[in-house]
């Protein structure tokens, strides 16, 4: 069994309040969950209105499948016009670690 995590640091576009931030972030997190059956949430920079960290986690039987899902999640984040993907950090864990 393999578990993979992805943390993405995003810069939001024309957002001037935490309420506006929530209106942008909530649909992105929901789409990640719906399209890829992953656990996803806003995990950092919660008090800043133009920055957000989104965390994604998935579990699969082989490392390749975990990598494919995380790649797809990263592509989705990079393609969203309302955010700029600044950086990502990945971790892959095996049950034998």
């Amino acid at each position: 069994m393999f578990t993979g995590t992805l943390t993405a640091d995003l810069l939001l576009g024309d957002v001037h309040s935490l309420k506006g931030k929530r209106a942008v972030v909530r649909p992105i997190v929901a789409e990640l969950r719906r399209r890829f059956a992953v656990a996803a949430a806003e995990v950092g920079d919660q008090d800043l209105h133009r920055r957000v960290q989104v965390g994604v986690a998935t579990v699969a039987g082989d490392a390749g499948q975990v990598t494919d899902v995380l790649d797809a999640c990263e592509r989705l984040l990079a393609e969203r016009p309302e955010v700029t993907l600044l950086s990502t950090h990945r971790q892959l864990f095996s049950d034998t670690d």
Side-chain angles (χ1 to χ4, degrees):
M1 178 176 70
F2 293 88
T3 304
T5 62
L6 170 74
T7 304
D9 188 17
L10 305 172
L11 177 66
L12 304 179
D14 191 28
V15 175
H16 302 288
S17 67
L18 292 176
K19 185 176 180 180
K21 174 184 180 177
R22 191 170 49 249
V24 172
V25 174
R26 199 178 269 169
I28 292 172
V29 169
E31 185 174 0
L32 286 166
R33 290 175 180 164
R34 186 184 72 251
R35 285 184 58 185
F36 304 113
V38 296
E42 180 181 352
V43 296
D45 294 331
Q46 293 165 332
D47 56 340
L48 303 175
H49 67 273
R50 291 210 55 225
R51 294 286 292 269
V52 65
Q53 287 185 352
V54 173
V56 176
T58 188
V59 177
D62 65 72
Q65 187 175 3
V66 169
T67 302
D68 290 346
V69 170
L70 294 180
D71 286 345
C73 290
E74 187 173 341
R75 274 193 305 276
L76 181 137
L77 293 170
E79 293 171 354
R80 296 294 294 229
E82 67 272 24
V83 300
T84 302
L85 181 60
L86 299 176
S87 67
T88 60
H89 176 73
R90 289 184 187 211
Q91 289 185 300
L92 181 66
F93 303 97
S94 169
D95 60 350
T96 60
D97 288 345

